[in-house]
Amino acid sequence: MFIEVLKSKIHRVKITEAELHYVGSITIDEDLMDAANLMENEKVQIVNINNGERLETYVIKGVRGSGQICLNGPAARKAQVGDVIIIISYCSIDQSEVKSHNPVVIFPDEKNRLGS
């Protein structure tokens, strides 16, 4: 049997942009994507700490080292610049692998950058 478990999490980053007139998705700084093991076009869940909104979308690469976190398209109505969010991805694994599974969780600083 397969179950869905946490794969990756970017914990507490700030929205830097919201682009309503865009096709859709969330743009994430490529450094954060790499650190959290997120792939371009991967489905993610966004949880807004400021207003409780939850949504699903997909990832597109942002400028490396920029700290960019931009909600695009209709999702832009679910958050404002400065809101703090959590970005979560999941994967399906065999139930027998659950105890050995280690998700990737990163904690960027207040400027959406990784600590050195």
Side-chain angles (χ1 to χ4, degrees), residues 46-54 78:
I46 309 300
V47 182
N48 188 323
I49 292 172
N50 291 74
N51 63 19
E53 290 283 353
R54 299 174 84 88
K78 302 286 187 178

Side-chain angles (χ1 to χ4, degrees), residues 12-15 47-53 78-86:
R12 298 183 65 93
V13 286
K14 288 183 183 173
I15 298 288
V47 182
N48 188 323
I49 292 172
N50 291 74
N51 63 19
E53 290 283 353
K78 302 286 187 178
Q80 296 181 16
V81 171
D83 281 1
V84 176
I85 62 169
I86 299 170

Side-chain angles (χ1 to χ4, degrees), residues 101-116:
H101 174 70
N102 292 310
V104 176
V105 180
I106 64 168
F107 301 88
D109 65 18
E110 65 281 347
K111 294 184 180 179
N112 296 345
R113 296 208 170 77
L114 301 169
S116 35

Side-chain angles (χ1 to χ4, degrees), residues 18-85:
E19 294 293 334
L20 182 61
H21 301 289
Y22 188 84
V23 176
S25 69
I26 184 168
T27 305
I28 302 174
D29 176 329
E30 197 170 357
D31 281 346
L32 297 176
M33 287 177 60
D34 290 348
N37 191 29
L38 289 173
M39 307 296 141
E40 189 166 29
N41 300 312
E42 183 173 356
K43 179 181 175 180
V44 290
Q45 180 180 45
I46 309 300
V47 182
N48 188 323
I49 292 172
N50 291 74
N51 63 19
E53 290 283 353
R54 299 174 84 88
L55 64 105
E56 292 180 341
T57 191
Y58 62 94
V59 175
I60 60 173
K61 289 181 188 178
V63 176
R64 187 176 292 282
S66 66
Q68 181 181 29
I69 301 290
C70 180
L71 276 177
N72 301 302
R77 295 214 184 265
K78 302 286 187 178
Q80 296 181 16
V81 171
D83 281 1
V84 176
I85 62 169

